[in-house]
Amino acid sequence: MNVIEPIGPEKQRQVIEEVNRYIQLASVIYNDSFSDIDVVFNLKGRAAGIYRTYFQKKQRQKFNWLSKPKQQIRFNPWLFAKYPGDSWNNTIPHEVAHYISDCLYGLHKIKPHGNEWRTIMQAFGAKPIVRGNYSLDGIPVRRVQRHRYKCSCRDIELTTYRHKNIQRGVHEYRCRDCSGLLEYIG
């Protein structure tokens, strides 16, 4: 199996320019100004791109409802290298449309791939495709660690997220079959 090399700095610069071009296009279409967004190429796994908003750690410690969250688009440089046409025509406008819909409507007020997002995609001249279907051969995939638990009827594997919730005492999980409380067995 050939290992795919991720896109380099020159291609990354071109992707960032294309992101900014879509943002400028949205400014013209919606007669509004949208600021440039942070774009990083550190995504792994099945997702070609993700738009997210988050509060930085300093802001989390001193949470203020008036503070502005950081907005970011993350791209998978391996999928961009393996599927450049699809990434250029679908992934870039897809993630920018999420950013624009967040600016116009707010993320918590609309469905992620609802009518507002679809309208923005169509305004960009892109098909409102929700997911790509990619072969991940030769691409590093994030591995999810599993933790073994048992109930009265069987052994069950939980993700690290659920395992940590149990360890911190935030949540308890029960078996779907016997309703027994899950116990960690390592």
Side-chain angles (χ1 to χ4, degrees):
M1 169 177 31
N2 292 337
V3 176
I4 304 295
E5 289 295 319
I7 60 172
E10 178 59 29
K11 285 286 187 190
Q12 290 179 8
R13 185 186 60 72
Q14 291 173 0
V15 170
I16 292 169
E17 286 175 1
E18 187 70 359
V19 166
N20 291 331
R21 188 184 73 76
Y22 275 109
I23 291 171
Q24 294 306 316
L25 178 61
S27 295
V28 171
I29 293 169
Y30 294 100
N31 197 21
D32 200 347
S33 63
F34 303 102
S35 57
D36 289 345
I37 186 169
D38 187 27
V39 178
V40 294
F41 297 86
N42 62 0
L43 192 58
K44 293 182 182 176
R46 297 187 173 280
I50 293 177
Y51 166 74
R52 69 180 191 151
T53 60
Y54 62 95
F55 290 92
Q56 293 173 321
K57 286 184 181 178
K58 289 180 183 176
Q59 290 176 318
R60 273 192 215 136
Q61 291 169 354
K62 214 178 197 182
F63 186 75
N64 179 356
W65 285 104
L66 300 175
S67 62
K68 186 169 172 66
K70 185 172 172 91
Q71 297 166 310
Q72 183 181 70
I73 294 177
R74 297 174 62 202
F75 287 123
N76 185 327
W78 289 272
L79 286 177
F80 267 71
K82 189 169 182 177
Y83 301 101
D86 188 60
S87 299
W88 203 263
N89 297 326
N90 296 319
T91 305
I92 296 172
H94 180 117
E95 301 310 329
V96 174
H98 280 303
Y99 166 59
I100 300 301
S101 65
D102 182 18
C103 292
L104 293 174
Y105 308 106
L107 282 181
H108 302 291
K109 297 177 183 174
I110 62 170
K111 292 182 179 178
H113 298 107
N115 291 333
E116 297 85 356
W117 175 83
R118 289 179 182 278
T119 302
I120 294 168
M121 286 290 284
Q122 290 165 349
F124 286 164
K127 294 178 185 172
I129 298 170
V130 176
R131 285 188 180 84
N133 188 13
Y134 305 114
S135 165
L136 299 179
D137 292 340
I139 295 176
V141 179
R142 185 182 71 197
R143 305 250 187 264
V144 177
Q145 185 177 359
R146 301 285 179 172
H147 303 271
R148 292 184 54 218
Y149 282 77
K150 69 175 181 148
C151 64
S152 58
C153 70
R154 63 188 168 124
D155 288 357
I156 298 173
E157 291 185 344
L158 296 181
T159 63
T160 299
Y161 178 80
R162 289 185 176 196
H163 172 70
K164 285 183 179 179
N165 280 343
I166 291 171
Q167 297 301 313
R168 288 189 306 236
V170 174
H171 209 311
E172 63 180 33
Y173 295 94
R174 296 187 172 273
C175 174
R176 290 181 181 167
D177 297 330
C178 70
S179 299
L181 191 61
L182 299 182
E183 295 177 25
Y184 183 59
I185 57 175

